[in-house]
Amino acid sequence: MTDRVAPTRKTPSQTRSREMVQRIIDAGEAVLTESGYAATSTNRVAERAGISKGSLYQYFPDKNAIVVAVLNRFCEQMGVRMVEMLEPSLDLPPLEVLHISVTAMIDIEITHLPLLRVIVEQVPSVGVLDALEEQLQRLKDICSAWLEANRAQLRPDLDTTSASWLMVETAAQLSFRYVSRNTPFTREQFVAMLVDQLGRCILA
């Protein structure tokens, strides 16, 4: 059964309130990353934030509300970072764009691997799936627009919507499996192999 997540109790309108919310989310991320989902609690988050449980409960009704806030912020930051890294490179030849895209995704996943492990392996469906899907869809939209803009270099029969879905899902899932597990090849080999496979999907 999917856990129900109560909304944030108090909307932070003043600077001090917004800072308090960010302080709680920072503490929640630290506890979640260091201790895992099962061991995360409102008590531990409040202690890490240096506030009382009463202060925490003004903004977050329970543990899962904090976890959702942590994961929503992470997903938004991840999406923004990917866009920042990709946009300056979209006019390059297709294989170069694919290489930059895969490398950027791996860099982001390595940087945030402890939190990503918890998200993927431990956190139940408490709202994060929507946040992840939103960011993946954002990347698919960028990919689809890029494919449309470069049709002259691609297979004439290419369905850009289907191709963008396949490429983003494949790159995201395989790159996470690569960075989170021991593998028999180097990062450069992995990037080269994945770029080759993605290129075969779209190039004539």
Side-chain angles (χ1 to χ4, degrees), residues 8 36 42 57 118 127 134 167 169 191:
T8 304
T42 52
Y57 285 134
V118 175
E134 181 180 335
M167 293 169 70
E169 291 287 346
V191 171

Side-chain angles (χ1 to χ4, degrees), residues 5 26 36 58 67 70 74 79-80 99 104 129 152 155 158 174 188 190 195 199 201:
V5 180
D26 288 342
Q58 289 183 48
V67 172
V70 169
F74 166 74
V80 169
H99 191 282
L129 293 180
R155 288 169 39 192
L158 186 68
L174 289 183
E188 289 73 22
F190 171 77
V195 168
C201 293

Side-chain angles (χ1 to χ4, degrees), residues 81-101:
R81 182 61 179 148
M82 278 296 297
V83 171
E84 289 176 347
M85 296 173 79
L86 284 175
E87 283 188 335
S89 309
L90 294 179
D91 291 331
L92 296 174
L95 288 180
E96 289 186 40
V97 175
L98 291 176
H99 191 282
I100 291 169
S101 302

Side-chain angles (χ1 to χ4, degrees), residues 122-197:
Q122 299 180 26
V123 175
S125 179
V126 293
V128 66
L129 293 180
D130 291 339
L132 284 173
E133 284 300 322
E134 181 180 335
Q135 295 309 321
L136 285 175
Q137 186 58 53
R138 187 178 185 185
L139 294 177
K140 290 169 188 172
D141 291 342
I142 293 173
C143 183
S144 183
W146 170 69
L147 292 173
E148 286 288 352
N150 290 272
R151 269 197 174 277
Q153 304 177 65
L154 308 177
R155 288 169 39 192
D157 62 340
L158 186 68
D159 180 337
T160 56
T161 300
S162 299
S164 63
W165 185 93
L166 179 65
M167 293 169 70
V168 171
E169 291 287 346
T170 299
Q173 294 187 38
L174 289 183
S175 60
F176 173 74
R177 289 182 65 83
Y178 173 75
V179 302
S180 63
R181 290 167 171 77
N182 293 325
T183 52
F185 38 81
T186 66
R187 169 175 161 160
E188 289 73 22
Q189 290 173 321
F190 171 77
V191 171
M193 287 188 290
L194 183 52
V195 168
D196 179 67
Q197 291 302 310

